Amino acid sequence: MRRLLGLTDGNLGMHLKVLVEAGYIEPSHSWRGRRRTTFYAPTAEGRAALERHVAALEAVISATKPD
């Protein structure tokens, strides 16, 4: 995810921390060999917030289109 978004480890970590604290994502931990891996999944609240955000962005785009 870090490479896909072009973020540093620290920057991505802070974004994830904020989303976890807001209740938008849930972390789960597992092991791949000797490495601990963290996976993040959206919560129901997180999905609803994303849908509201997308709707707001679509409204802005729609409002800027010529009639």
Side-chain angles (χ1 to χ4, degrees):
M1 189 165 30
R2 180 182 52 81
R3 279 181 267 145
L4 177 69
L5 298 173
L7 300 173
T8 64
D9 287 337
N11 193 276
L12 177 60
M14 287 304 298
H15 283 286
L16 292 171
K17 179 181 175 185
V18 168
L19 292 171
V20 168
E21 289 174 355
Y24 289 168
I25 60 174
E26 288 181 323
S28 63
H29 307 284
S30 66
W31 291 90
R32 288 188 176 182
R34 295 182 182 186
R35 288 185 75 159
R36 182 177 150 184
T37 303
T38 305
F39 295 95
Y40 295 91
T43 62
E45 185 179 350
R47 286 185 187 275
L50 178 60
E51 289 173 9
R52 289 190 305 271
H53 184 70
V54 169
L57 291 173
E58 288 173 343
V60 169
I61 291 168
S62 180
T64 61
K65 289 183 179 178
D67 292 329

